[in-house]
């Protein structure tokens, strides 16, 4: 079995597309507004997909359940040249810092990370090493 790509389930599809279009600095390959679906490719393969949360809730039978806060179960990790500059850029786009840029020698030699939430609340890790 191959892991294919991350798919973020989003509440505000147009805002999420706008955020990732600018954050990634590349146009999505496909945006299907009516289906609340967008994808970005990296070297010809899917790198990130956005999909409407309500659409998926109907498919899996959870449409009537509340969206309760909980600990994160997924995170989008992005490698950047400069964690501090990347953090500043995403904050200007509407992300919120939850753990500021810092060196993480206990995790790996030369690793620097920052953790943010995109406008939908999805957890993002920026890292350089």
């Amino acid at each position: 079995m191959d892991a294919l790509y991350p798919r973020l389930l989003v509440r505000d599809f147009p805002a999420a597309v706008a955020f990732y279009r600018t954050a990634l600095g590349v146009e999505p390959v496909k945006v299907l507004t009516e289906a609340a679906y967008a994808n970005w490719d990296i070297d010809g393969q899917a790198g990130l997909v956005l999909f409407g949360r309500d659409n998926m809730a109907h498919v899996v039978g959870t449409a009537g359940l509340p969206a309760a806060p909980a600990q994160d179960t997924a995170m989008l990790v992005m490698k950047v040249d400069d964690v501090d500059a990347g953090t500043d850029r995403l904050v200007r786009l509407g992300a919120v810092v939850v753990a500021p840029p810092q060196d993480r020698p206990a995790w790996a030699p030369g690793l620097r990370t920052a953790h943010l939430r995109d406008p939908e609340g999805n957890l993002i890790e920026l890292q350089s090493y």
Side-chain angles (χ1 to χ4, degrees):
M1 182 179 305
D2 291 337
L4 298 178
Y5 49 81
R7 178 179 291 171
L8 300 179
L9 303 177
V10 299
R11 289 180 297 270
D12 187 341
F13 179 75
V17 170
F19 176 84
Y20 281 103
R21 176 180 275 140
T22 305
L24 296 173
V26 64
E27 288 296 311
V29 173
K30 184 186 306 181
V31 176
L32 303 174
T33 304
E34 294 78 26
Y37 176 91
N39 75 283
W40 286 259
D41 284 1
I42 300 168
D43 296 327
Q45 296 188 20
L48 173 65
V49 173
L50 301 179
F51 192 65
R53 185 178 290 183
D54 289 342
N55 294 3
M56 185 55 66
H58 282 87
V59 168
V60 300
T62 59
L65 298 178
Q71 291 182 340
D72 297 289
T73 60
M75 177 174 62
L76 181 60
V77 179
M78 298 178 176
K79 185 174 186 270
V80 295
D81 292 331
D82 182 329
V83 170
D84 297 80
T87 299
D88 291 343
R89 182 169 182 260
L90 292 187
V91 166
R92 285 192 307 273
L93 296 174
V96 175
V97 175
V98 293
Q102 57 194 285
D103 295 330
R104 301 269 186 193
W107 292 6
L111 179 63
R112 185 167 179 78
T113 69
H115 294 86
L116 305 98
R117 292 201 182 279
D118 73 8
E120 284 281 330
N122 295 301
L123 187 60
I124 298 172
E125 177 179 283
L126 298 182
Q127 61 174 238
S128 64
Y129 46 89

